[in-house]
Amino acid sequence: MAYLDITHVEKSFGANHVVKDFNLDIEKGEFVSLLGPSGCGKTTVLRMVAGFETPSAGSISIEGKDVVALRPNQRNIGMVFQAYALFPNLTVAQNVGFGLRIAGVPASEANARVTEMLRLIGLPDLGARYPFQLSGGQQQRVALARALAPKPRVLLLDEPLSALDAKIRVSLRTEIREIQRQLGITTIFVTHDQEEALSISDRVVVMNAGIADQVGTPFAIYNHPATKFVAGFVGTLNSFDATVTDATTGAIRLGDTPITLNKPLNASAGSKIAVALRPEAAQLGRSDLREIALNGRITEVHFMGSIIRISAEVAGTRLSLDTFNRADTPPPPIGTDVEIGVSARDFIVLGS
């Protein structure tokens, strides 16, 4: 049995069915992200684990014990919110130690734990300050320390970085992951930011309309999407309509170009299917690794620093490809006819 089991959980608010037959097993010490667009049910799942919402059906177990009937303060769960939710009239140290004081932990033990937590989040000398004297990133670190101070069994993070600027978000998410690994605490992280989810998670749950469309490692989610929604939501995707010429061998025709995918297709010869390519799976010109040439015409060039994103019209569809910036090789001008090299192994067949 997994450390945290969410089994056949559903949640409805009146006629609005927000979470539908949600199942997830999380091992002890695992970092799992719930990823999806606004309104997909990811925060509702988190709130049911925390005890702030009661499931309409299903069970939630921690260490083999069903906790659905327990109040939030009986579950020993730490939670960090998008809003820092710090007490403005308490110092940093008092905020971090608040849960310990409520639990009746002796003062000497609580003070030692607060000191430990402030050192862990890199703010050992700021215990006497008040929240308004801290930056947004520092306040969120304090909120994290407060959640961790009582040594919870599970840590829940509800979009904790969305109020911060981009540079601080990147550094703080790395710190959160390092702290989580150091403590070995089981963690659920909710985000709508795919880069966050992919960069720090052991596994990612992609949610769509209350359903877990796919659960897997970041590598599997990105490279082997199970549904059309996952393929389109995670990363940038070039989508094409192709004609099946031989379903047994996976032979298709993309525009005037024949391509053999070397895997059977659930379609009949002559039918249309949707296939896709990631931008990094295409390049200007053919090579040993990109042996298939698609004819295209450059329509846009976007300089993004280390990466140049080029758009071309291919088989009546826009194709985006990424190429590394090289100071001695400028990108081709708009309107240039080019060959775009791709490989059959990189095509994704889009399902439902």
Side-chain angles (χ1 to χ4, degrees), residues 161-170:
L161 308 178
S162 59
L164 305 174
D165 65 54
K167 190 172 183 179
I168 294 176
R169 286 179 71 158
V170 172

Side-chain angles (χ1 to χ4, degrees), residues 86-92 95 129-135 139:
L86 299 177
F87 300 109
N89 59 320
L90 300 182
T91 65
V92 166
N95 268 283
R129 292 192 183 182
Y130 286 87
F132 75 90
Q133 297 173 306
L134 305 179
S135 68
Q139 289 187 59

Side-chain angles (χ1 to χ4, degrees), residues 279-313:
E280 66 272 20
Q283 66 180 33
L284 294 176
R286 280 183 287 186
S287 68
D288 291 342
L289 295 177
R290 304 282 186 265
E291 73 283 0
I292 300 170
L294 302 177
N295 295 317
R297 174 169 292 181
I298 303 297
T299 57
E300 294 180 42
V301 176
H302 297 286
F303 184 77
M304 303 166 67
S306 61
I307 295 293
I308 299 176
R309 178 154 292 180
I310 298 171
S311 294
E313 184 176 341

Side-chain angles (χ1 to χ4, degrees), residues 58-136:
S59 66
I60 300 171
S61 300
I62 302 176
E63 296 184 285
K65 180 180 179 181
D66 195 320
V67 298
V68 167
L70 299 181
R71 296 189 300 273
N73 64 330
Q74 296 174 316
R75 300 188 184 194
N76 192 17
I77 288 176
M79 189 158 183
V80 180
F81 302 91
Q82 177 180 340
Y84 316 128
L86 299 177
F87 300 109
N89 59 320
L90 300 182
T91 65
V92 166
Q94 289 170 336
N95 268 283
V96 173
F98 182 80
L100 300 172
R101 182 168 63 85
I102 294 298
V105 175
S108 59
E109 182 181 337
N111 290 339
R113 181 64 174 168
V114 168
T115 299
E116 179 187 355
M117 288 295 98
L118 291 178
R119 188 180 301 113
L120 183 68
I121 63 170
L123 303 176
D125 301 321
L126 301 186
R129 292 192 183 182
Y130 286 87
F132 75 90
Q133 297 173 306
L134 305 179
S135 68

Side-chain angles (χ1 to χ4, degrees), residues 30-42:
E30 194 175 14
F31 192 112
V32 175
S33 288
L34 305 184
L35 172 67
S38 297
C40 70
K42 56 188 184 295

Side-chain angles (χ1 to χ4, degrees), residues 124 316 342:
V342 299

